[in-house]
mmCIF file of all heavy atoms in Angstrom:
data_model
loop_
_atom_site.group_PDB
_atom_site.id
_atom_site.type_symbol
_atom_site.label_atom_id
_atom_site.label_comp_id
_atom_site.label_asym_id
_atom_site.label_seq_id
_atom_site.Cartn_x
_atom_site.Cartn_y
_atom_site.Cartn_z
ATOM 1 N N VAL A 58 100.486 107.280 121.400
ATOM 2 C CA VAL A 58 99.272 107.933 120.868
ATOM 3 C C VAL A 58 99.051 107.525 119.412
ATOM 4 O O VAL A 58 97.898 107.368 118.975
ATOM 5 C CB VAL A 58 99.333 109.478 121.037
ATOM 6 C CG1 VAL A 58 100.452 110.099 120.208
ATOM 7 C CG2 VAL A 58 98.006 110.112 120.681
ATOM 8 N N ILE A 124 80.842 106.582 118.314
ATOM 9 C CA ILE A 124 81.919 107.350 118.928
ATOM 10 C C ILE A 124 82.726 106.418 119.798
ATOM 11 O O ILE A 124 82.195 105.673 120.631
ATOM 12 C CB ILE A 124 81.360 108.523 119.749
ATOM 13 C CG1 ILE A 124 80.696 109.516 118.781
ATOM 14 C CG2 ILE A 124 82.474 109.199 120.557
ATOM 15 C CD1 ILE A 124 80.126 110.729 119.411
ATOM 16 N N LEU A 125 84.048 106.388 119.524
ATOM 17 C CA LEU A 125 84.960 105.559 120.337
ATOM 18 C C LEU A 125 85.807 106.492 121.182
ATOM 19 O O LEU A 125 86.422 107.392 120.640
ATOM 20 C CB LEU A 125 85.900 104.784 119.430
ATOM 21 C CG LEU A 125 85.435 103.502 118.770
ATOM 22 C CD1 LEU A 125 86.533 103.000 117.813
ATOM 23 C CD2 LEU A 125 85.138 102.430 119.824
ATOM 24 N N ILE A 178 79.347 101.702 136.277
ATOM 25 C CA ILE A 178 80.770 101.478 136.517
ATOM 26 C C ILE A 178 81.100 102.328 137.740
ATOM 27 O O ILE A 178 80.833 103.526 137.776
ATOM 28 C CB ILE A 178 81.648 101.918 135.321
ATOM 29 C CG1 ILE A 178 81.295 101.093 134.083
ATOM 30 C CG2 ILE A 178 83.117 101.758 135.676
ATOM 31 C CD1 ILE A 178 82.075 101.479 132.862
ATOM 32 N N ALA A 190 85.211 93.550 145.703
ATOM 33 C CA ALA A 190 85.508 92.119 145.438
ATOM 34 C C ALA A 190 85.310 91.776 143.965
ATOM 35 O O ALA A 190 85.749 90.727 143.491
ATOM 36 C CB ALA A 190 84.668 91.232 146.318
ATOM 37 N N SER A 208 74.067 114.218 125.079
ATOM 38 C CA SER A 208 73.104 114.329 126.177
ATOM 39 C C SER A 208 73.563 113.465 127.384
ATOM 40 O O SER A 208 73.408 113.893 128.536
ATOM 41 C CB SER A 208 71.695 113.983 125.684
ATOM 42 O OG SER A 208 71.233 112.799 126.251
ATOM 43 N N TYR A 223 83.336 111.879 135.675
ATOM 44 C CA TYR A 223 83.763 110.558 135.193
ATOM 45 C C TYR A 223 83.000 110.153 133.935
ATOM 46 O O TYR A 223 81.770 110.109 133.943
ATOM 47 C CB TYR A 223 83.429 109.487 136.255
ATOM 48 C CG TYR A 223 84.277 109.478 137.494
ATOM 49 C CD1 TYR A 223 83.758 108.922 138.659
ATOM 50 C CD2 TYR A 223 85.587 109.941 137.508
ATOM 51 C CE1 TYR A 223 84.494 108.859 139.847
ATOM 52 C CE2 TYR A 223 86.341 109.870 138.686
ATOM 53 C CZ TYR A 223 85.808 109.327 139.813
ATOM 54 O OH TYR A 223 86.536 109.257 140.966
ATOM 55 N N HIS A 289 107.317 98.483 114.847
ATOM 56 C CA HIS A 289 105.887 98.503 114.512
ATOM 57 C C HIS A 289 105.666 98.206 113.046
ATOM 58 O O HIS A 289 104.622 97.668 112.675
ATOM 59 C CB HIS A 289 105.307 99.873 114.867
ATOM 60 C CG HIS A 289 105.914 100.995 114.084
ATOM 61 N ND1 HIS A 289 105.312 101.526 112.976
ATOM 62 C CD2 HIS A 289 107.083 101.639 114.208
ATOM 63 C CE1 HIS A 289 106.121 102.485 112.456
ATOM 64 N NE2 HIS A 289 107.181 102.559 113.208
ATOM 65 N N ASN A 302 119.048 86.948 119.002
ATOM 66 C CA ASN A 302 119.625 88.272 119.259
ATOM 67 C C ASN A 302 119.682 89.149 118.017
ATOM 68 O O ASN A 302 120.767 89.544 117.575
ATOM 69 C CB ASN A 302 120.991 88.161 119.914
ATOM 70 C CG ASN A 302 120.896 87.504 121.261
ATOM 71 O OD1 ASN A 302 120.194 88.000 122.145
ATOM 72 N ND2 ASN A 302 121.536 86.370 121.421
ATOM 73 N N GLY A 325 115.712 100.500 108.271
ATOM 74 C CA GLY A 325 115.534 101.228 107.014
ATOM 75 C C GLY A 325 116.100 100.528 105.798
ATOM 76 O O GLY A 325 116.748 101.170 104.951
ATOM 77 N N ASN A 394 133.570 107.449 102.273
ATOM 78 C CA ASN A 394 132.489 108.213 101.629
ATOM 79 C C ASN A 394 132.402 109.650 102.134
ATOM 80 O O ASN A 394 131.697 110.450 101.568
ATOM 81 C CB ASN A 394 131.164 107.513 101.844
ATOM 82 C CG ASN A 394 130.803 107.372 103.312
ATOM 83 O OD1 ASN A 394 131.691 107.167 104.153
ATOM 84 N ND2 ASN A 394 129.555 107.467 103.623
#
Side-chain angles (χ1 to χ4, degrees):
V58 65
I124 293 181
L125 278 175
I178 298 179
S208 113
Y223 287 156
H289 64 99
N302 297 301
N394 60 325

